[in-house]
């Protein structure tokens, strides 16, 4: 009956909104018990009326049947990796190259943490999540759509009224430090192998053929850019792309900024470096991107890496002593 279908749609929207509050804003507005009640109400409606179940219903976050193997996906826009810099002199050289190639005396950069997880791409058609893949070799990755549906930080619908016809979101799947520690305790108790670090735990959890195993691991996601886009008016800067991603209910880094020149870059590097141990997730550096997208075009890519962006890495973390 229609009022049941209306109630089911209402519940789906409310649950997805609370996921946004919790994972993208880190500011839930209802207690977990109330969230669970909404989910149970939707589950009971879908059990009574199976025709109400949709693939992207919040009740399907527990994972569907496993696949025998992952199929391959070729990225419409390659997912290229960043060049690395390890000291201030290399960053000064990066900034100099950007100034010389653009003829500008000072460059504005968008800066953000470099998540140490697994790069993935999410495709949204008319605002609905339809496909997701790993980075692979940058040109071809594995189709892990069913596994990504279980990650509650990844919205199944973009949270805007007029979504683009197609939008590819690039980002990182990761496991929070606390969830990693708890997982290893559980692994040890089960007699299963422990993971060396959160990055391996995230990769191992995402690349499971059985989505129900992925669903049992607490994975998180942060968006950091865009791939292909059809029917979307690209904003003029990277910082504004990030604002729009958050408006669309995608989680993004909280510690991001827009800075001027090499001094702004190095200040951010030190600021994040001193806060690194307190962050809830592992990072292996910070990322600097020329903010203006027209300048990014001008600077382009050398070989396979962009000339307009660079990762500034921290010294490798000494292995945690027991
Ligand atoms: N891993 C990470 O946090 N990344 N990776 C990029 C990236 C890779 C290629 C272009 O941008 N940006 C950020 N914040």
């Amino acid at each position: 009956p229609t009022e049941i279908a209306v109630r089911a749609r209402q519940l789906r929207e409310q649950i997805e909104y609370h996921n946004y509050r919790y994972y993208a804003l880190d500011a839930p507005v209802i207690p977990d018990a109330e969230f669970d009640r909404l989910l149970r109400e939707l589950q009971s409606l879908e059990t009574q009326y199976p025709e109400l179940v949709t693939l992207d219903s919040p009740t399907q976050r527990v994972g569907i049947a496993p696949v025998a193997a992952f199929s391959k996906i070729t990225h419409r826009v390659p997912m290229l990796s960043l060049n690395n810099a390890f000291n201030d002199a290399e960053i000064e050289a990066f900034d100099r190259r950007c100034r010389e190639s653009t003829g500008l005396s000072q460059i504005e950069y968008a800066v953000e943490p470099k998540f140490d997880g697994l790069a993935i791409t999410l495709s949204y058609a008319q605002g609905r999540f339809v496909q997701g893949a790993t980075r692979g070799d940058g040109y071809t990755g594995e189709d892990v759509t069913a596994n990504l549906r279980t990650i509650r930080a990844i919205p199944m619908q973009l949270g805007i009224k007029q979504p683009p016809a197609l939008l590819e979101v690039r980002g990182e799947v990761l496991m929070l430090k606390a969830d990693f520690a708890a997982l290893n305790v559980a692994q040890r108790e089960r007699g299963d192998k422990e993971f060396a670090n959160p990055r391996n735990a995230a990769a191992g959890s995402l690349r499971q053929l059985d989505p129900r195993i992925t669903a049992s691991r607490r994975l998180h996601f942060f968006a950091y850019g865009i791939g292909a886009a059809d029917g979307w008016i690209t904003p003029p800067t990277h910082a504004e792309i990030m604002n729009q991603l958050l408006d669309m209910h995608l989680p993004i880094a909280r510690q991001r900024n827009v800075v001027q020149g090499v001094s702004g870059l190095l200040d951010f590097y030190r600021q994040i470096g001193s806060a690194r141990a307190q962050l809830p997730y592992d990072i292996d550096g910070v990322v600097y991107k020329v903010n203006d997208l027209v300048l990014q075009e001008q600077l382009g890519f050398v070989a396979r890496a962009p000339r307009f962006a660079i990762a500034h890495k921290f010294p490798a973390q000494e292995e945690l002593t027991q």
Side-chain angles (χ1 to χ4, degrees), residues 80-82 112-117 172 224 284 287 289 306 308-309:
L80 301 182
S81 53
L82 297 167
E112 58 205 36
K114 185 174 181 300
F115 297 108
D116 189 11
E172 202 90 352
Y224 57 62
D284 58 342
V287 175
K289 297 174 183 175
F308 58 79

Side-chain angles (χ1 to χ4, degrees), residues 21-92:
R21 294 289 321 191
Y22 188 87
Y23 291 101
L25 300 184
D26 198 13
V29 291
I30 58 169
D32 293 357
E34 170 59 14
F35 179 81
D36 293 341
R37 195 199 62 70
L38 292 172
L39 201 53
R40 277 200 306 278
E41 185 185 342
L42 179 59
Q43 264 155 351
S44 73
L45 284 184
E46 290 183 352
T47 308
Q48 283 175 309
Y49 304 94
E51 69 277 14
L52 289 178
V53 179
T54 58
L55 195 52
D56 55 10
S57 170
T59 58
Q60 305 307 300
R61 298 268 196 187
V62 294
I64 54 177
V67 290
F70 294 122
S71 48
K72 290 288 180 207
I73 303 268
T74 298
H75 305 306
R76 250 181 69 180
V77 170
M79 292 180 71
L80 301 182
S81 53
L82 297 167
N83 283 326
N84 292 329
F86 295 92
N87 56 53
D88 291 5
E90 291 175 14
I91 295 301
E92 282 151 9

Side-chain angles (χ1 to χ4, degrees), residues 182-297:
L183 172 62
N184 269 350
V185 167
Q187 293 286 99
R188 197 179 311 132
E189 282 169 356
R190 269 195 299 262
D192 289 337
K193 72 170 177 56
E194 295 176 51
F195 292 96
N197 54 53
R199 191 202 174 292
N200 288 2
S205 302
L206 187 64
R207 301 181 63 226
Q208 283 286 334
L209 291 170
D210 184 350
R212 289 164 299 190
I213 295 177
T214 309
S216 71
R217 306 277 172 78
R218 291 180 179 281
L219 292 176
H220 208 296
F221 170 77
F222 288 99
Y224 57 62
I226 296 287
D230 295 332
W232 187 54
I233 299 149
T234 312
T237 66
H238 175 78
E240 285 167 277
I241 288 180
M242 300 304 287
N243 295 338
Q244 291 204 22
L245 288 174
L246 183 58
D247 284 347
M248 292 190 268
H249 291 186
L250 289 143
I252 61 173
R254 301 159 72 79
Q255 304 82 6
R256 66 193 173 102
N257 204 351
V258 172
V259 301
Q260 305 301 325
V262 66
S263 59
L265 298 180
L266 298 178
D267 288 349
F268 183 73
Y269 178 79
R270 306 212 199 303
Q271 174 200 330
I272 296 298
S274 61
R276 185 182 184 192
Q278 283 72 36
L279 293 176
Y281 39 69
D282 277 352
I283 61 172
D284 58 342
V286 292
V287 175
Y288 308 139
K289 297 174 183 175
V290 171
N291 200 26
D292 182 286
L293 298 185
V294 170
L295 294 183
Q296 286 192 11
E297 276 296 296

